[in-house]
Amino acid sequence: MWETLIIRRTLRVPAIDGPPGDGAAVARQLDATLLGVGFTASRELMEHVSGLEPGVAMDLAVRVIAAVRELVGDHVRHNSYFIGFPDDVPDTVEFWVSCLRDALARAYGVKVAKRELRARLRTLPVNLLALPWYGRYRHTYAELLAAHDELIASAQDRITVLHLGGALEQEITSLYLRLAGSVTPLGEADLAILGELAVECLDGEQPESVPVRENRAVVNVARLAAGRPLAGLDTVTDVLRVACAASAGDVSLQAPTRFRSFRRRERRALLAALDRVVADNRGKLADVTPHARRWQRLGERLHPHEHGYFPHAREVFAVARGDRKARSLAGRVELAFASGDVRRAVKLLSAAPGLLLRQLDRVLRKASPDDFGEVLTALSGALDGVSGRVLCSVREHLVNRAEPDAVRVFVNRNRRAWTTDDRRPPLDGAVVARTAGVLDAELARRLPEPARLVVDPVVLALALPLSGKASEGGFAIMPRGSVTPVRGELLRFFTYWRQATRRTDYDLSALLLGDQFEYEGHVSWTNYHDGGAYYSGDITDAANGATEFIDVPLADMRARYVVPQVNIYSGEGFDEVAESMFGFMTRDRVRRGRPFEPRTVRMRSDMRGSGRVALPVVFARGEDGSWSAKWLHLYVRGASWGNRTEVNQVSTAMLVRAVMRREYLTVRYLVELLRRKAGSYTAYQPGMSLDQPVTFVGVERPDGLPDGSEAITLDRLNELVPE
């Protein structure tokens, strides 16, 4: 399990300490098979496999191939409803007529003429989705393969390099330290991995610090279960997070948690941690009120009245019950704003740097020109107590506040998105510039001074990953707001799902929008082709897995924006199905091949959000005719049943418009700050020869970096964000 995880998460193959031998033939077979899936082995990995006994080398090769096939979605069979897709896709109306004729022929044993068909349709109600021909594969996967020619090889095929890692134990420890020490919150999948690693690495090397409180709670769950002292808890809410995580609940405290029964040893550990926090600073009791109901429920499990030697912990539950008052700082700030005393509000906020940064927009809107100098002074004094991630988030926010906008977008931790009218007045441009300058100076101060910086230009347009919750797990996943070029004549996106317990119907669709985000058409199960794009056919039952495709010939597409959607028509949600994914491929029209070819896959993402409509990415045509992808990773609530593109086109267009017009803080921003400290940086070109150690920043680690080099790649871009 760990080996597969390391390969998928880091594109590194852990070295194995096997018997030596001549595994050169196996190494060549491995590399040839990898090329068929869009991967290749680095020189070090080839040498490692070549030096192993052939049987051991073959076992390793099998595991590596299985891992990378799953990474790009090639571990399942991607069948297509229309066997000849993208050719031979019928007209929508003609297809429905053929389905109706087939149903009547089955019922009456004779072929029905057009006139009789019309007469029956006038008198009989028809459920189109229940027709015998509809929604189920009419051919096997083997028949699909036989109907398609081999894919013609191309120099534009994706080639991803797999590198040789250290021993498995070293790779496990390294991944644990990176996840635990992350300066940005982890996504759901990585948070679960961290929990498993914390148990595995309990007796090994530990990170110097765990900056993110959610990560800290997950690490402490392993310590709680093992009877170790809890570490790094400095607020009462930290203790509450540990209790939630230990109960398999929401560590972010956004959703309610059903607390489990704790063993006596665990109750003592949690109460002792609470007691220490409050004893060190009684002002921490003010943090209890926002989560009072949770504390009351937790008190029923911890029985604080049975532990008289933790008097300060008992105060926490007294505040939660309302037996004791603890006015929060936020409440006093609200009173100051209500009275119009901005200076007093700023003075109060200065005692809580994080709260000041979160309220900065409001402060700048309320402050008069005479107050602005004091605001900047308070801001400068608070910066040292705020994480680099928060500084970057505020910096990005300010960039988008100098111009008015009609729509405001909200995205929660589950990537559920919604829009509302933005009634806030824009901030003065000069105020934004001076405030941003203060943040720039502080972030530049915190950045290291790399000896020699080499940057792949492709990475500059990627959004800074300020939270792992703004993306999905999968392959070649970019943070929300990132822009990447899309090259090739044909864009093909796909979705695959496999239901767990009940019939589930997902529908892949594409909304086509014009220059002003107006509706220009759509492609879905209700409209098989539009604007040159083609749909592969609707599958309504996925007991054994189902795939749907949409082809978009980029040169022929008249729309300015192509917005893929995955709508849940009926059945299980994205977080309920056994498996679900979205991805896209690019290829040339003349290359033929199967509907799914792994070496043409440019990205594959999991779909595990809580909404009923998934919006993974939007494709946009530039003024020069070139196409690019802007990454969304968003979910819309949708309806409980019957979601269709035609129904949600207005809300989707508003959401896409807001995201497309938003300016995200990109890697370019931090690289420019690094360049000022380093003096310059080198733009990486494929095949470039490097003769000394460098700090490389790029999407993937190139083969042949000098020993001693540091590579900050896609899975580690958050490490660019200063602490």
Side-chain angles (χ1 to χ4, degrees), residues 31-45:
D31 200 41
T33 306
L34 287 175
L35 285 173
V37 197
F39 291 83
T40 188
S42 69
R43 176 177 53 82
E44 292 83 0
L45 179 56

Side-chain angles (χ1 to χ4, degrees), residues 191-203:
L191 207 58
I193 292 171
L194 176 60
E196 296 176 3
L197 288 170
V199 175
E200 182 75 14
C201 301
L202 189 62
D203 296 319

Side-chain angles (χ1 to χ4, degrees), residues 208-283:
E208 293 182 6
S209 65
V210 183
V212 178
R213 297 185 183 276
E214 295 177 16
N215 304 352
R216 195 181 306 167
V218 170
V219 171
N220 271 308
V221 168
R223 302 182 66 84
L224 181 69
R228 309 286 178 84
L230 305 183
L233 307 181
D234 54 14
T235 70
V236 295
T237 309
D238 284 343
V239 182
L240 182 60
R241 292 184 194 276
V242 176
C244 288
S247 302
D250 179 15
V251 70
S252 70
L253 307 182
Q254 299 299 303
T257 294
R258 182 184 295 275
F259 293 107
R260 66 174 173 84
S261 296
F262 294 95
R263 297 191 294 270
R264 183 173 183 83
R265 183 184 67 188
E266 294 173 327
R267 297 200 302 270
R268 286 174 56 88
L270 291 169
L271 289 170
L274 269 182
D275 199 72
R276 286 193 301 271
V277 169
V278 178
D280 290 342
N281 184 352
R282 299 180 66 81

